[in-house]
Amino acid sequence: MKWCWLFLFLSSFTYARSPLVIDIISSENFSQRYKEFLAGRSVLEVDDFHPSTKGSHIEIIEMVLLQQALFLGGEHRPVVFNPKPSVNVIEFSDLIAGDSLVLARSTWHEDLLDYKGSLYITEPLVEYGEYEAGFYVTKRNVALHDMPAERLNQLTVVANPRWKVDWRALNNTDINVVSFIGPWETMLEMVETNVVDAMLINFSVSESLVLNFEGREYVPINELKLLLPDSRHFVVSKRHPEGEQVFNALNTGLAILKQRGILKKALIESGFINGRVKDWHMVNESMLMRALP
């Protein structure tokens, strides 16, 4: 692509300038997986977003798209990622105070409503209706693999009520929702030990949709999926001295990436928009229908 070559040409002039410091979550080893995905490439020349590492791929793709958007929006300084504990990221405390500039991970719009006075919110990276997830059960629990939608009232699914979008989506079905506030790894352990039947997880990037976590395998219930009814956005601090400049660049660049079809291409190739489940039954489809004009 011509614009990729333009990135490479122009980027050679940027590295003498002070870098932009962008926060990432330290606990998920995103930095290592990000390096593995780039495999020596400049982030500005990436135009193939297929996964090259295990685990959820969307976080890595967001790190790439954010930098490409910044560059297209006129912000040509190199980026340095600053790992931070997830609790600080979730609470937006450093962004609100102006101690952090921007997060390298998108956030649900609903979670940002109370912070609009302190945070700039970009145009959506993930549009309403694009985020789908599956009901993951243990691979050995064969009896649940082909559960029909008519029997969802017999299914128990663990969810964190603080994850507002997940919680609202699940409670718009006949599913029995079990509340748990804690790490998602513990929630998955509840599935492993049969405390609950399933956990809501965005679909695995593997060909078979199997999720492998610490040597244990989990599979989605066949032919069933759930819409997570919200859009996802990058956020920038309003109190940071560079906040307005970076927000304008990021928003401009995202619009260009969207117009060129790069955002949708990245979401599809990364497996986030998963073609393997395109025709699966959406158990809360009424939520999407209510949102349509």
Side-chain angles (χ1 to χ4, degrees):
M1 289 187 177
K2 291 183 179 179
W3 62 276
C4 287
W5 291 109
L6 178 63
F7 276 156
L8 290 172
F9 176 74
L10 292 177
S11 63
S12 63
F13 297 100
T14 67
Y15 290 98
R17 304 179 63 188
S18 60
L20 283 175
V21 179
I22 295 179
D23 290 347
I24 57 171
I25 299 175
S26 59
S27 61
E28 305 247 6
N29 196 26
F30 290 148
S31 297
Q32 181 60 35
R33 288 164 50 206
Y34 169 75
K35 291 178 182 177
E36 292 174 2
F37 172 70
L38 288 183
R41 295 176 294 177
S42 163
V43 69
L44 300 178
E45 68 178 314
V46 172
D47 61 359
D48 182 338
F49 300 92
H50 290 92
S52 60
T53 57
K54 294 180 180 180
S56 178
H57 196 49
I58 185 62
E59 298 88 353
I60 309 305
I61 297 307
E62 288 180 339
M63 293 167 72
V64 172
L65 292 174
L66 181 140
Q67 292 175 87
Q68 292 189 353
L70 284 170
F71 195 94
L72 284 171
E75 181 53 75
H76 296 165
R77 285 176 290 173
V79 166
V80 173
F81 289 113
N82 177 40
K84 286 199 169 183
S86 59
V87 64
N88 288 341
V89 174
I90 292 171
E91 294 177 349
F92 309 116
S93 55
D94 292 342
L95 284 167
I96 292 169
D99 297 328
S100 293
L101 176 59
V102 61
L103 300 183
R105 188 173 185 179
S106 66
T107 304
W108 291 117
H109 186 264
E110 182 171 336
D111 291 337
L112 301 171
L113 295 178
D114 293 336
Y115 304 106
K116 285 189 172 182
S118 302
L119 302 175
Y120 292 112
I121 303 172
T122 70
E123 291 299 305
L125 183 74
V126 178
E127 301 276 359
Y128 189 107
E130 289 184 329
Y131 202 122
E132 298 176 343
F135 302 101
Y136 272 78
V137 302
T138 59
K139 191 172 183 179
R140 68 176 183 275
N141 198 346
V142 179
L144 292 178
H145 289 188
D146 295 302
M147 170 178 276
E150 295 76 19
R151 289 178 49 206
L152 281 177
N153 61 349
Q154 301 175 27
L155 189 72
T156 57
V157 176
V158 63
N160 189 333
R162 292 179 179 174
W163 300 349
K164 299 176 184 177
V165 178
D166 302 51
W167 188 257
R168 188 171 73 253
L170 285 166
N171 280 283
N172 271 267
T173 70
D174 294 330
I175 292 167
N176 299 294
V177 186
V178 177
S179 174
F180 177 81
I181 297 175
W184 75 268
E185 294 91 343
T186 304
M187 298 166 73
L188 196 59
E189 183 67 22
M190 293 171 69
V191 178
E192 179 67 29
T193 56
N194 299 317
V195 175
V196 295
D197 296 321
M199 178 178 172
L200 189 65
I201 302 175
N202 56 301
F203 289 102
S204 167
V205 298
S206 69
E207 289 288 335
S208 61
L209 302 177
V210 171
L211 171 67
N212 190 308
F213 181 74
E214 296 184 348
R216 300 168 177 174
E217 292 188 325
Y218 305 86
V219 298
I221 296 176
N222 288 324
E223 301 296 327
L224 299 181
K225 62 183 179 181
L226 188 78
L227 164 74
L228 296 185
D230 202 358
S231 54
R232 292 185 67 88
H233 308 252
F234 288 125
V235 290
V236 182
S237 171
K238 285 187 176 181
R239 292 188 178 178
H240 193 283
E242 297 180 286
E244 184 175 6
Q245 173 186 330
V246 168
F247 168 72
N248 289 334
L250 182 55
N251 224 21
T252 298
L254 285 172
I256 295 171
L257 288 174
K258 181 178 180 179
Q259 187 272 329
R260 292 177 175 175
I262 301 300
L263 287 186
K264 182 61 70 71
K265 180 178 187 285
L267 294 176
I268 292 173
E269 289 186 353
S270 68
F272 177 80
I273 296 178
N274 200 314
R276 298 179 185 87
V277 303
K278 179 181 178 181
D279 297 323
W280 284 21
H281 174 59
M282 187 181 294
V283 301
N284 62 332
E285 187 174 13
S286 62
M287 296 188 75
L288 178 59
M289 299 304 294
R290 289 198 298 270
L292 295 176

